[in-house]
């Protein structure tokens, strides 16, 4: 799968995940992205099967969410 496909699927899963969360703030935070990432890890999600290169997978996912306007920096 290409990186843009991974990114698209992660963004879709984020949107689904976010709807089920009791987040009180008007916008999710980096802490929320970390929680999302940890839950993906805990359930061994295939969404984390991409090659991260030299970067941490959480940093990549956080950057995808940030660049898509889902979370502030």
């Amino acid at each position: 799968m290409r990186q843009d496909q991974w990114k698209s699927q992660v963004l879709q899963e984020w949107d689904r995940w976010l709807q089920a969360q009791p987040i009180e703030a008007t916008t999710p935070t980096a802490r929320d992205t970390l929680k999302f990432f940890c839950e993906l890890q805990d359930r061994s999600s295939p969404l984390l099967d991409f090659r991260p290169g030299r970067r941490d997978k959480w940093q990549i996912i956080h950057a995808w969410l940030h660049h898509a306007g889902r979370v502030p920096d």
Side-chain angles (χ1 to χ4, degrees), residues 29-44:
T29 65
R31 179 176 282 170
D32 295 317
T33 66
L34 181 59
K35 182 179 176 186
F36 170 68
F37 176 78
C38 289
E39 288 185 19
L40 291 177
Q41 276 188 318
D42 288 348
R43 66 177 200 241
S44 300

Side-chain angles (χ1 to χ4, degrees), residues 36-64:
F36 170 68
F37 176 78
C38 289
E39 288 185 19
L40 291 177
Q41 276 188 318
D42 288 348
R43 66 177 200 241
S44 300
S45 173
L47 292 176
L48 297 179
D49 289 344
F50 63 90
R51 294 182 187 181
R54 294 182 178 180
R55 295 177 57 198
D56 180 72
K57 286 185 179 184
W58 173 76
Q59 290 175 334
I60 293 169
I61 288 178
H62 177 72
W64 287 348

